[in-house]
């Protein structure tokens, strides 16, 4: 499994050669992330605006490596290992905080200072069926004080996507809830008002959803059976196009029958198909769409790099202005 | 294109030490790092191709912050970051040998920084005049007379003869060509749509040249456009030199600095629906004529103000096309009206309802004071 990245690289979170070495901070076509090591470990990549955190899970132990602004001037190939993260099972990174979950606890570390500082901690039961961050037992973790927010346990939350001012929740029966600021239609309730408490996205009622994602002002979800991604409430970058869609709308990804995963950056979206292709759309000024240009587009477009290098895309994670992709070589068809 | 760098550099502090970048801890260290790099490059005098890109990064990131939450919630610090981003972008554009396009981009960037600082209030005014109930006219009243006869009793009046000395009428008579010369490339907010209570009403940012071409001279293909309620004189200081604050403003309690001066520039047919403003107003007409109707606050019960918080200072009634079935009491409201001519200054007392329709190409300047 190899990881690739494209988009904003102003802090060397993609190419650890150092900021001053680059002519431009934009990476328009996918580059290999050399420091995500190990075929032994599964690695999960997480990204903020200025940094990247790789969660290495190995049988011998897990830890997080960081690169970009947070790692300081580390020029090692493998990013900087965070000793605080030894044994963690998952991590999330934002500009100010790193959230680490362990089997018995969750911690938030402030990463803006020269020394990382533990600012919040909470014990938790090893529930066996662990949920993914930012969900924790009983609620979820926001990347700012007071960190922990409770969630009604009746919701049976399975995954949670946090945008800059809204949240999208997926429950075990495939229902989507949303809350927070609604000013750009990102809640999918049909109006532009905000909601304090989780509200069902009625328009998706009856469509079992299996993944949700949230950008700064938009949300995206993937349905279980009917395959197509559903983009809730797009708001795109001002000088390219502005559209506000306050109800979920089906996104037409041409020639595609199934979407396996989806991720949102601040103003762009990326989707992986069942056949291992990557499509991106939205704001592209930093090359985060990976098409070799700095153009934006509102049409899902294939990232040609992967098929032309005989790679099959497995997963995608978006930072604010960049995109990270994991891929494996395509199996040769039997001749 | 003549190099502007020497002029631009002269306006900046001479050394890095005199250019501190102090922000509250709301501003993340990563952003601060980019700001510092941009500033240090500026003073290193080396030609740095990444400078423009760095500035754009600062602009884009702070733009995202500025658009998160309502404008009230956004920390002022992010507006400062945005301004610095614009400054660094302008400097990188002016460095070396800038092209015509670079200079235009630089000016547009300054305007974007300026516009982000402003907070739009919601009111528009449009008076209408009725000959049988004409607003009285008076020529150069003394301060005392204006105060005793109009300001204290809060009565509207048109004052004549107090703007003849304005450069806008004398040394630099305002015209389309003059405005193009002084402010043609400046970006301004334009209201599009027949009136702000309409559903299709919207705002866009275009240059003064574009506005003149498309909405003043051009055919009505693009609809009605109005450069309304904009502090153009803060944005373009040269235009401010062409006008003067009326002496009568000194009768108020506020400082001269607190007087809000707005420009109102548009083709014939712009309409400001009947509404009221919280301050005293001198509306000075410079170019063209406007029909204005005034209702005293005592008539409010006949004027059907909107119930919503946003529009409670605005009447629901279309003054020159009143639906008397829906708003029957409107015909009971008594009013005054006038056609405001160039050089006239209309005194609109605080909270007086007013409706305005331009009869032709018009440029007015309003002074809101207390």
């Amino acid at each position: 499994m190899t990881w690739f990245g494209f988009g904003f690289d102003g802090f060397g979170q993609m190419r650890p050669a150092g900021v001053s070495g680059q002519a431009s901070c934009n990476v328009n076509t996918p580059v290999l992330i050399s420091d995500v090591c190990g075929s032994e470990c599964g690695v999960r990549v997480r990204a903020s605006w200025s940094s990247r955190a790789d969660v290495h899970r190995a049988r011998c132990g897990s830890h997080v490596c960081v690169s970009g602004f947070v790692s300081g001037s580390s020029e090692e190939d493998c990013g900087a290992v965070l000793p605080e993260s030894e044994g963690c099972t998952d991590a999330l990174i934002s500009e100010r905080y790193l959230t680490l979950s362990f089997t018995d606890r969750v911690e938030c570390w402030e990463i803006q200072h020269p020394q990382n500082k533990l600012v919040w901690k909470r014990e938790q039961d090893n529930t066996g069926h662990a949920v993914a961050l930012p969900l924790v037992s009983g609620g979820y973790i926001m990347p700012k004080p007071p960190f922990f927010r409770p969630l009604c346990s009746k919701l049976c939350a399975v995954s949670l996507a946090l945008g800059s001012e809204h949240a999208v929740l997926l429950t075990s029966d495939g229902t989507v809830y949303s809350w927070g600021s609604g000013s750009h239609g990102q809640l999918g309730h049909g109006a532009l008002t905000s909601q304090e408490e989780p509200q069902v996205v009625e328009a998706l009622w009856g469509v079992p959803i299996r993944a949700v994602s949230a950008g700064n002002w938009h949300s995206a979800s993937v349905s279980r059976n009917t395959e197509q991604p559903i983009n809730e409430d797009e708001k795109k970058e001002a000088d390219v196009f502005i559209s506000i869609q306050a109800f979920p709308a089906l996104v037409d990804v041409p020639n595609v029958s199934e979407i396996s995963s989806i991720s949102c950056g601040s103003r762009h979206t990326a989707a992986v198909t069942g056949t291992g292709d990557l499509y991106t759309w939205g704001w592209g000024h930093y090359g985060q769409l990976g098409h070799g240009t700095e153009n934006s587009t509102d049409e899902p477009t294939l990232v040609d790099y992967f098929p032309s290098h005989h790679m099959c895309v497995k997963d995608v994670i978006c930072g604010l202005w960049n995109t990270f992709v994991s891929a494996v070589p395509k199996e040769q068809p039997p001749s | 294109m003549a190099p502007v760098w020497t002029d631009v550099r002269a306006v900046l502090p001479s050394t890095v030490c005199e250019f501190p970048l102090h922000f509250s801890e709301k501003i993340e260290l990563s952003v601060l790092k980019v700001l510092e790099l941009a500033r240090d490059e500026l003073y290193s005098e080396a030609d740095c191709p990444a400078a423009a890109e760095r500035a754009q990064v600062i602009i884009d990131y702070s733009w995202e912050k500025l658009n998160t939450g309502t404008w009230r919630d956004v920390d002022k610090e992010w507006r400062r970051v945005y301004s610095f981003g614009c400054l660094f972008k302008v400097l990188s554009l002016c460095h070396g040998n800038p092209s015509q396009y670079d200079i235009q981009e630089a000016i547009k960037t300054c305007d974007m920084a300026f516009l982000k600082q402003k907070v739009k209030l919601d009111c528009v005014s449009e008076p209408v005049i009725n000959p049988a109930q004409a607003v009285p006219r008076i020529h150069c009243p003394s301060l005392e007379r204006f105060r005793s006869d109009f300001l204290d009793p809060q009565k509207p009046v048109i004052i004549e003869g107090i703007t003849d000395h304005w450069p806008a009428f004398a040394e630099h008579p305002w015209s389309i060509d003059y405005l193009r010369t002084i402010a043609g490339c400046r970006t301004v907010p334009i209201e599009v749509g027949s009136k702000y209570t309409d559903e299709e009403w919207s705002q866009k940012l275009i240059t003064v040249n574009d506005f003149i071409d498309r909405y003043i001279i051009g055919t009505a293909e693009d609809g009605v456009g109005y450069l309304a309620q904009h502090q153009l004189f803060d944005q373009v200081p040269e235009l401010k030199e062409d006008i003067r604050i009326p002496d009568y403003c000194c009768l108020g309690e506020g400082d001269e600095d607190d007087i809000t001066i707005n420009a109102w520039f548009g083709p014939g047919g712009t309409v400001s629906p009947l509404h009221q403003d919280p301050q005293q107003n001198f509306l000075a007409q410079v170019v063209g004529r406007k029909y204005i109707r005034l209702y005293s606050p005592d008539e409010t019960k006949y004027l059907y103000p909107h119930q919503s918080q946003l529009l409670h200072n605005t009447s629901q009634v279309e003054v020159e096309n009143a639906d008397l079935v829906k708003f029957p009491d409107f015909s009971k409201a008594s009013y005054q009206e006038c056609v405001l001519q160039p050089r006239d200054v209309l005194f609109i007392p605080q909270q007086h309802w007013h409706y305005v329709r331009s009869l032709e190409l018009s440029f007015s300047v309003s002074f809101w004071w207390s």
Side-chain angles (χ1 to χ4, degrees):
Chain A
M1 179 90 75
T2 18
W3 282 87
F4 297 80
F6 44 95
F8 178 63
D9 187 33
F11 294 91
Q13 63 262 58
M14 223 174 277
R15 300 165 296 179
V19 186
S20 47
Q22 325 296 358
S24 155
C25 59
N26 303 349
V27 176
N28 295 339
T29 42
V31 295
L32 186 70
I33 309 283
S34 53
D35 58 342
V36 178
C37 53
S39 44
E40 290 286 319
C41 344
V43 180
R44 269 198 214 141
V45 168
R46 304 276 185 246
S48 66
W49 180 61
S50 65
S51 308
R52 191 184 94 231
D54 304 329
V55 187
H56 295 256
R57 287 166 302 156
R59 269 157 287 161
C60 43
S62 355
H63 59 271
V64 168
C65 289
V66 290
S67 37
F69 181 70
V70 168
S71 69
S73 48
S74 159
E75 296 208 0
E76 295 162 21
D77 259 356
C78 201
V81 178
L82 280 187
E84 302 90 336
S85 67
E86 286 298 333
C88 75
T89 54
D90 199 4
L92 278 185
I93 188 168
S94 68
E95 253 345 83
R96 259 185 225 283
Y97 300 102
L98 180 70
T99 306
L100 296 169
S101 75
F102 300 83
T103 47
D104 58 342
R105 67 193 191 281
V106 184
E107 295 176 348
C108 284
W109 290 78
E110 194 169 6
I111 52 181
Q112 288 268 293
H113 297 287
Q115 290 277 53
N116 296 339
K117 192 168 88 163
L118 178 66
V119 289
W120 181 86
K121 179 169 146 171
R122 180 183 153 106
E123 309 288 325
Q124 64 176 3
D125 299 330
N126 185 355
T127 50
H129 171 61
V131 284
L133 284 178
L135 286 173
V136 292
S137 63
Y140 64 100
I141 312 289
M142 289 272 277
K144 59 187 174 200
F147 301 106
F148 177 76
R149 305 284 162 89
L151 262 185
C152 177
S153 55
K154 285 202 282 284
L155 287 171
C156 301
V158 159
S159 85
L160 177 68
L162 292 178
S164 59
E165 38 171 355
H166 75 293
V168 186
L169 179 75
L170 179 64
T171 61
S172 53
D173 64 351
T175 309
V176 178
Y177 291 76
S178 64
W179 67 96
S181 165
S183 56
H184 297 99
Q186 62 265 59
L187 300 184
H189 299 309
L192 301 184
T193 48
S194 306
Q195 298 287 348
E196 300 258 336
E197 297 293 324
Q199 299 283 337
V200 175
V201 179
E202 305 252 348
L204 292 178
W205 185 255
V207 180
I209 301 291
R210 62 182 163 104
V212 290
S213 183
N216 277 25
W217 299 283
H218 70 295
S219 316
S221 51
V222 184
S223 61
R224 267 185 213 157
N225 305 319
T226 57
E227 322 99 13
Q228 294 284 14
I230 300 169
N231 240 336
E232 296 174 14
D233 337 307
E234 290 292 320
K235 190 251 181 194
K236 301 299 206 326
E237 203 253 323
D239 64 41
V240 178
F241 32 68
I242 287 194
S243 74
I244 295 199
Q245 215 170 277
F247 280 113
L250 207 58
V251 174
D252 189 25
V253 185
N255 306 321
V256 165
S257 60
E258 197 203 318
I259 301 289
S260 63
S261 82
I262 198 153
S263 183
C264 297
S266 72
R267 302 181 248 171
H268 73 290
T269 313
V272 181
T273 69
T275 50
D277 283 325
L278 179 72
Y279 284 78
T280 56
W281 65 100
W283 188 50
H285 281 196
Y286 289 90
Q288 62 264 58
L289 301 185
H291 302 138
T293 66
E294 277 152 33
N295 299 335
S296 303
T297 174
D298 59 354
E299 306 232 336
T301 309
L302 177 68
V303 179
D304 202 52
Y305 178 90
F306 296 101
S308 41
H309 286 77
H310 308 291
M311 307 278 318
C312 181
V313 174
K314 287 294 170 196
D315 200 6
V316 68
I317 289 280
C318 294
L320 228 62
W321 294 355
N322 45 30
T323 310
F324 295 94
V325 178
S326 70
V328 294
K330 259 192 188 141
E331 278 157 20
Q332 298 297 336
S335 46
Chain B
M1 197 68 214
V4 300
W5 180 246
T6 9
D7 292 331
V8 168
R9 183 67 183 80
V11 176
L12 297 169
S14 15
T15 63
V16 167
C17 315
E18 294 164 79
F19 196 143
L21 287 167
H22 292 146
F23 293 94
S24 81
E25 62 107 42
K26 284 260 164 28
I27 306 307
E28 293 119 3
L29 292 178
S30 39
V31 183
L32 191 54
K33 171 88 181 276
V34 184
L35 283 162
E36 286 168 354
L37 278 171
R39 174 203 56 194
D40 295 344
E41 256 154 25
L42 167 67
Y43 282 89
S44 75
E45 297 293 347
D47 204 32
C48 189
E53 239 188 34
R54 246 194 258 294
Q56 194 60 48
V57 167
I58 298 167
I59 290 174
D60 286 335
Y61 190 70
S62 54
W63 184 92
E64 290 193 343
K65 295 289 187 189
L66 289 178
N67 281 276
T68 301
T70 65
W71 65 264
R72 276 181 195 83
D73 300 333
V74 176
D75 204 276
K76 280 198 302 292
E77 290 290 87
W78 285 111
R79 293 204 197 109
R80 286 184 61 223
V81 174
Y82 185 86
S83 303
F84 274 103
C86 290
L87 173 65
F88 291 131
K89 181 170 176 182
V90 167
L91 295 173
S92 73
L93 285 166
C94 293
H95 199 81
N97 193 14
S99 67
Q100 176 77 5
Y101 174 79
D102 289 336
I103 298 292
Q104 279 172 348
E105 271 299 296
I107 294 178
K108 183 171 175 191
T109 307
C110 292
D111 285 334
M112 292 313 295
F114 173 81
L115 288 164
K116 286 288 187 256
Q117 302 302 320
K118 293 299 161 199
V119 168
K120 200 81 157 86
L121 300 168
D122 40 39
C123 61
V124 174
S125 67
E126 242 201 49
V128 170
I129 302 171
N130 192 336
Q133 293 130 27
V135 176
R137 288 175 170 270
I138 186 166
H139 185 85
C140 287
S142 65
L143 287 176
E144 262 319 304
R145 164 142 305 211
F146 172 73
R147 174 165 43 198
S148 60
D149 291 3
F150 303 103
L151 179 59
D152 285 348
Q154 291 280 280
K155 296 246 173 274
V157 63
I158 296 175
I159 307 174
E160 295 173 345
I162 57 166
T163 56
D164 293 335
H165 63 290
W166 281 17
F169 295 110
E171 296 91 337
H172 309 131
W174 282 4
S175 65
I176 297 277
D177 286 340
Y178 176 72
L179 289 169
R180 279 199 201 270
T181 315
I182 290 286
C185 59
R186 304 306 299 270
T187 301
V188 289
I190 300 297
E191 299 179 359
V192 179
S194 50
K195 48 193 169 303
Y196 72 84
T197 43
D198 274 355
E199 272 178 21
E200 339 81 62
W201 186 88
S202 68
Q203 291 181 292
K204 53 166 68 152
L205 299 172
I206 55 177
T207 62
V208 169
N209 278 333
D210 273 344
F211 174 62
I212 291 173
D213 290 335
R214 283 155 61 179
Y215 295 95
I216 306 278
I217 298 175
T219 60
E221 267 168 28
D222 286 71
V224 173
Y226 195 9
L227 197 174
Q229 199 184 316
H230 177 55
Q231 292 178 39
L232 185 65
F233 307 98
D234 283 345
Q235 186 183 4
V236 187
E238 294 90 335
L239 272 180
K240 193 160 184 189
E241 320 240 296
D242 287 349
I243 61 173
R244 298 284 179 269
I245 295 178
D247 293 337
Y248 309 96
C249 292
C250 74
L251 296 170
E253 284 139 12
D255 285 332
E256 195 174 293
D257 296 331
D258 296 330
I259 296 176
T260 306
I261 309 178
N262 276 312
W264 307 79
F265 175 44
T270 60
V271 168
S272 295
L274 186 65
H275 72 287
Q276 48 182 185
D277 297 319
Q279 292 187 281
Q280 318 282 7
N281 184 1
F282 282 123
L283 182 65
Q285 193 62 15
V286 184
V287 178
R289 297 167 311 125
K290 278 181 159 158
Y291 172 63
I292 304 183
R293 197 187 288 192
L294 299 165
Y295 294 82
S296 138
D298 300 332
E299 305 294 304
T300 303
K301 54 190 177 297
Y302 302 128
L303 300 181
Y304 301 91
H306 283 271
Q307 299 293 5
S308 75
Q309 168 79 341
L310 205 62
L311 290 174
H312 70 274
N313 67 336
T314 306
S315 163
Q316 299 178 64
V317 186
E318 283 184 42
V319 169
E320 290 187 286
N321 188 20
D323 182 343
L324 292 173
V325 171
K326 209 165 158 192
F327 309 114
D329 287 344
F330 184 66
S331 51
K332 297 187 195 156
S334 60
Y335 60 87
Q336 293 178 294
E337 56 180 8
C338 62
V339 171
L340 204 64
Q341 317 272 359
R343 297 169 190 255
D344 285 347
V345 177
L346 171 66
F347 169 58
I348 304 177
Q350 189 171 318
Q351 296 299 350
H352 241 71
W353 294 88
H354 45 293
Y355 163 90
V356 182
R357 179 169 56 86
S358 64
L359 302 175
E360 60 214 16
L361 165 69
S362 163
F363 201 132
S364 321
V365 181
S366 64
F367 301 85
W368 287 341
W369 56 288
S370 301

